Amino acid sequence: MLFMFNAIKILALFMFCMVSQSVSNTAAKAGGTNGLLSYQKAIDNWQEITTVEDLWELYPEKVRRIFASLDLQHPGLEQVNTALQSADTVAAGKALIQYYKQTDNAGWLLSPSYLTASQSDRELSDQLLEDIFTRAEVSAEVPKLDNGAWDWTFTGPEKDDEFGYTLNRHGSFNHLLKTWHETGNAAYAEKFDELVRDWIIHNPLPDQSEYFWEVHRTSDELDWRDIGEVVWRDLDAGIRLGESWVHSFYGFQQAEAFSPASRLLMLYSIPIHAAYLKDYHKDSHNWTTMEMNGLGLVGLTFPEYKRADEWAGYALEVMENEINGQVYPDGVQHELSAKTQWVALNRFELLVENYRNAGRSVSDAYLERIEAMYDHLAYSMRPDGHQPLNNDSDREDLRPRILKAADIYDRPDWTYIATNGERGEEPEGLASVVFPWSGIHVMRSGWDAMSHWGFYHTGPYGTGHQHRDKSHLSVHAYGRDLLVDGGRFTHEDYFSFDPTIWRGYFRSSFSHNLILVDGAGQNAGPRIADRPLEEGKNFVNTSTFDYAVDTFSSGYEGVDGQADHTRAVLYVKDKYWVVVDHIATDRPRTLETLWHYAPDVNAGIEAGQVVSNDSGKGNLRIVPAGDIQWDLEMVEGQTEPFIQGWYSITYGEKEPNPTAIYTTNIEGDATFAWVLVPADGQVPEVQAELVDEQTGLVRVTVEGEDPVLVTVPLQDGEPGFK
């Protein structure tokens, strides 16, 4: 049945592409050799196609398709309909252009604040006039083809596909729009006109062999980028419609440099984009949110199309299903990435704004799920307001977004969190919080800027942008990151976990605070949770301590036999974290326990312990406990024989960070512990002893204080300390 379904979908897609695109074939069928010559003439002289007459002469099938897509009975299109009934297609094209100059279909998108150009808009627009495109601070001149068109498959000086994807999202149109509105300089409108005409003429929708498999792939381990170019990815098609094409089409309506041919080409391409997105969008993915925002927006802002209501209704239906389908009841999006959480949330919320402005409503349940997503972001923030680095994420400041949302949703607790208690109302209950479906534990001592913060992940692998990071622990204290997740750095070699290349290192266990087994990192675990964690069994939160336990049993890459890792973490509030690890194995193993410090932390070895000693700043001491004999080394900025000791604060940036590697050989099952002691300034001397492996009992003695017995059970048992 699945084969038959896919075969039908392939046939449907093939028919769609054959009807709507493949310009050279259409031209050939229309006029044989003359058709091909006409097509080649259009390609060679694309810069001269500016009038309705030009477009009608060289691309009559495109012009016909525009009118076939329109509801000619729509109010305001009377002159268009009359001209078509008189077989005067050129006059109909001109009447349609005049109609759009007078409409206010998308007025809410083009507020004065939106059209205000920033310094960045102006700089990027000036670069575009010189054919220079910038992404993530990487700038390059876009190569040109022999006919003067941009090479839209260009992936930048670093051969980064993300450069090419961003190029084809056409955010550059918005920079040009805002700068033109502010300056009145026609050069910016002329550049927009040139680029949009260039892109549409030279980039027809590919046939199914180039993108069908991307949409319906079943394995995350295969690289869909080998299938086709970077121009027509469905994600980027959605972003074009939702974030640049609608805004620029309406925003440039009064620009004389926006040529009639370019206007009609956009009107020709919009329904092709919409049909593509409706029939071949992703499901249960953050991409879906961007694809449906694009589809919904053209449905709302181009009511003249026959299928406009269908597009708008379908997009809303999909998004209402998606917000329940791809967001757990605890408010965490299934990809378990703070970055993706915000990306999806932004689009879920943008849909509400667009539909309300267009006079349509969304359900209360939809709005409640949006609030739950914000709740997760607010309560998982570091004390300095930055988001976690789980899975593919960057260290972004969430406070402006949370403060804005706090006003919208009347949540003074979010204001309190984002301002470290300076404004708002203190949240009720404990500062620590567990998101039980996603398995995210945020362990806090309080809400002030100097509070302790721990981020412990015991949940599923995630549905996208995954890292092999189950049981990773990050620590922030006294206004500073101390133990960190490695970040993401790059999407090149996207699906790799090979620690000898950059993408593989940052995705793998090698860049996380985990245990490597026989030199290997974790395999993928279950992608989605089928039930929440159980309070009392999987976690406990009290006013004096937080506790969580988890077992990773999915194996290690290329490693034979059993090697299960159970990690239990207990945070004694305002004091320290105690971590107990257990490896269950059916044969001897080599273990490497990794602890990655933040790049600006100066950490060194002291008698088997690792401690940082930065004056007047937050510091951290790592103290091993148990009968294990460890070999300890510090690594920073290593590239051979594999990558180790690197950190990425944001995409495209990396820097060395000090990394402690504790190595040992075990003959069978082994249990050992770690005490992580933060301090504001110098960290006191600390001794730790694993008193009882069965109960996870650890004696911790901090210099100048009485010993404390901390119970961190690996299975059944009562966590706590005395």
Side-chain angles (χ1 to χ4, degrees), residues 379-384 420 430-433 441-455 473-482 544-546 570-578 617-621 676-681 683-684 705:
Y379 279 85
S380 65
M381 286 192 305
R382 292 175 173 90
D384 66 3
N420 299 120
L430 303 174
S432 297
V433 64
H441 307 259
V442 180
M443 302 175 171
R444 290 181 185 270
S445 62
W447 300 112
D448 62 90
M450 301 297 279
S451 294
H452 294 180
W453 175 92
F455 186 92
L473 174 65
S474 293
V475 172
H476 175 108
Y478 305 107
R480 189 184 193 197
D481 286 346
L482 295 169
T544 57
F545 72 87
D546 302 314
L570 190 145
Y571 168 53
V572 180
K573 297 200 173 184
D574 280 319
K575 291 290 188 179
Y576 39 70
W577 281 262
V578 180
K617 297 180 179 180
N619 289 294
L620 183 79
R621 183 184 294 273
L676 314 177
V677 185
D680 187 9
V683 187
E705 299 180 8

Side-chain angles (χ1 to χ4, degrees), residues 575-576 699-709 722:
K575 291 290 188 179
Y576 39 70
R699 180 184 288 112
V700 181
T701 305
V702 177
E703 181 183 11
E705 299 180 8
D706 292 334
V708 176
L709 289 173
K722 58 182 180 180

Side-chain angles (χ1 to χ4, degrees), residues 506-648:
F506 282 103
R507 289 192 80 201
S508 73
S509 304
F510 282 72
S511 71
H512 297 85
N513 298 323
L514 295 172
I515 296 175
L516 307 181
V517 175
D518 292 339
Q522 297 174 354
N523 288 323
R527 297 170 70 244
I528 297 178
D530 57 6
R531 60 183 180 273
L533 300 176
E534 294 182 37
E535 187 172 6
K537 178 181 179 181
N538 304 119
F539 68 93
V540 175
N541 295 107
T542 75
S543 60
T544 57
F545 72 87
D546 302 314
Y547 163 81
V549 63
D550 181 57
T551 296
F552 174 77
S553 56
S554 298
Y556 291 78
E557 273 202 310
V559 173
D560 295 330
Q562 179 196 16
D564 296 343
H565 174 208
T566 299
R567 171 168 281 183
V569 176
L570 190 145
Y571 168 53
V572 180
K573 297 200 173 184
D574 280 319
K575 291 290 188 179
Y576 39 70
W577 281 262
V578 180
V579 179
V580 178
D581 288 318
H582 177 75
I583 301 294
T585 178
D586 59 359
R587 66 196 67 190
R589 301 290 188 189
T590 297
L591 307 180
E592 296 166 85
T593 303
L594 308 176
W595 298 107
H596 295 82
Y597 280 83
D600 62 339
V601 177
N602 294 303
I605 298 172
E606 289 185 3
Q609 301 181 8
V610 181
V611 62
S612 62
N613 57 2
D614 295 310
S615 178
K617 297 180 179 180
N619 289 294
L620 183 79
R621 183 184 294 273
I622 300 173
V623 184
D627 294 333
I628 300 293
Q629 299 299 311
W630 297 101
D631 292 326
L632 172 60
E633 65 173 329
M634 296 295 294
V635 171
E636 187 170 353
Q638 175 179 295
T639 57
E640 297 289 345
F642 53 83
I643 299 170
Q644 187 52 270
W646 290 88
Y647 170 81
S648 173

Side-chain angles (χ1 to χ4, degrees), residues 409-422:
Y409 293 93
D410 190 23
R411 291 292 299 268
D413 56 326
W414 296 350
T415 302
Y416 190 94
I417 295 169
T419 62
N420 299 120
E422 292 183 4

Side-chain angles (χ1 to χ4, degrees), residues 273-424:
H273 274 75
Y276 171 44
L277 290 170
K278 181 178 181 296
D279 293 339
Y280 301 101
H281 63 81
K282 293 286 190 298
D283 294 314
S284 301
H285 200 287
N286 81 83
W287 285 23
T288 318
T289 66
M290 290 170 272
E291 293 160 354
M292 291 301 100
N293 258 288
L295 180 62
L297 187 61
V298 295
L300 297 173
T301 56
F302 288 90
E304 302 80 17
Y305 287 110
K306 293 175 181 177
R307 298 181 66 187
D309 281 342
E310 177 187 343
W311 298 336
Y314 182 82
L316 179 58
E317 179 183 355
V318 169
M319 288 287 270
E320 289 184 329
N321 290 332
E322 286 292 324
I323 202 167
N324 290 297
Q326 66 171 271
V327 179
Y328 288 117
D330 61 14
V332 183
Q333 200 262 356
H334 284 183
E335 296 182 48
L336 306 184
S337 155
K339 176 75 173 181
T340 303
Q341 174 88 3
W342 171 247
V343 169
L345 171 55
N346 184 42
R347 272 63 183 200
F348 282 129
E349 197 170 29
L350 183 60
L351 178 131
V352 175
E353 180 180 344
N354 287 335
Y355 277 67
R356 282 178 171 173
N357 279 308
R360 303 196 182 197
S361 62
V362 299
S363 68
D364 290 341
Y366 186 93
L367 297 174
E368 289 168 2
R369 191 53 62 92
I370 288 178
E371 186 171 350
M373 294 183 75
Y374 270 116
D375 217 39
H376 167 66
L377 289 175
Y379 279 85
S380 65
M381 286 192 305
R382 292 175 173 90
D384 66 3
H386 288 78
Q387 68 189 15
L389 278 179
N390 52 324
N391 283 344
D392 276 346
S393 293
D394 301 324
R395 196 182 186 279
E396 297 180 47
D397 189 347
L398 290 177
R399 287 172 293 190
R401 302 168 190 172
I402 296 300
L403 289 170
K404 180 179 179 180
D407 290 337
I408 295 172
Y409 293 93
D410 190 23
R411 291 292 299 268
D413 56 326
W414 296 350
T415 302
Y416 190 94
I417 295 169
T419 62
N420 299 120
E422 292 183 4
R423 292 188 286 116

